Amino acid sequence: MQSRHALHEIGGTKLPFRSSRDMKHRDIEYTLVQGTGRHIWKWSVVLDGSRSAAGQAMTKAEAVSEAERAIDRALALKKMKLVPPTTKSCGKGTS
């Protein structure tokens, strides 16, 4: 069983942070860790194989909110579809 004081990787750097449970938002896992300072919470999320996001906040609640917003933004980008412009037909009416 892994210790809650094990090394955690945030932004490619392994640091001795106390971890919070892996959490989920919209079926995507993210991780929160508390830094050694009193007001440092770091979060990270792997969005897909090539993209990830990470950041830090002063409170746990802010870190949760930022991680969940990052997930929401990533999912919104996947839902966006580029629709080519349509051409309007210019028909002349007859009287």
Side-chain angles (χ1 to χ4, degrees):
M1 189 162 152
Q2 186 177 5
S3 166
R4 291 181 64 79
H5 296 283
L7 292 178
H8 293 279
E9 188 170 332
I10 298 288
T13 306
K14 291 191 178 202
L15 300 168
F17 289 103
R18 191 174 77 207
S19 73
S20 185
R21 261 180 247 159
D22 283 338
M23 301 175 77
K24 275 190 172 185
H25 177 66
R26 301 188 189 271
D27 278 340
I28 296 178
E29 288 188 6
Y30 64 96
T31 302
L32 296 178
V33 291
Q34 184 177 20
T36 54
R38 180 180 167 136
H39 296 292
I40 300 174
W41 282 89
K42 295 192 176 200
W43 59 269
S44 67
V45 60
V46 176
L47 301 167
D48 59 32
S50 63
R51 295 184 310 153
S52 64
Q56 68 181 36
M58 295 196 54
T59 66
K60 183 177 181 179
E62 288 174 3
V64 168
S65 180
E66 288 179 21
E68 290 178 354
R69 276 196 307 267
I71 292 169
D72 289 340
R73 282 192 305 269
L75 292 175
L77 288 174
K78 283 186 174 184
K79 288 183 182 179
M80 283 180 46
K81 294 179 183 176
L82 294 176
V83 178
T86 58
T87 58
K88 294 183 180 180
S89 65
C90 296
K92 293 184 181 180
T94 57
S95 353

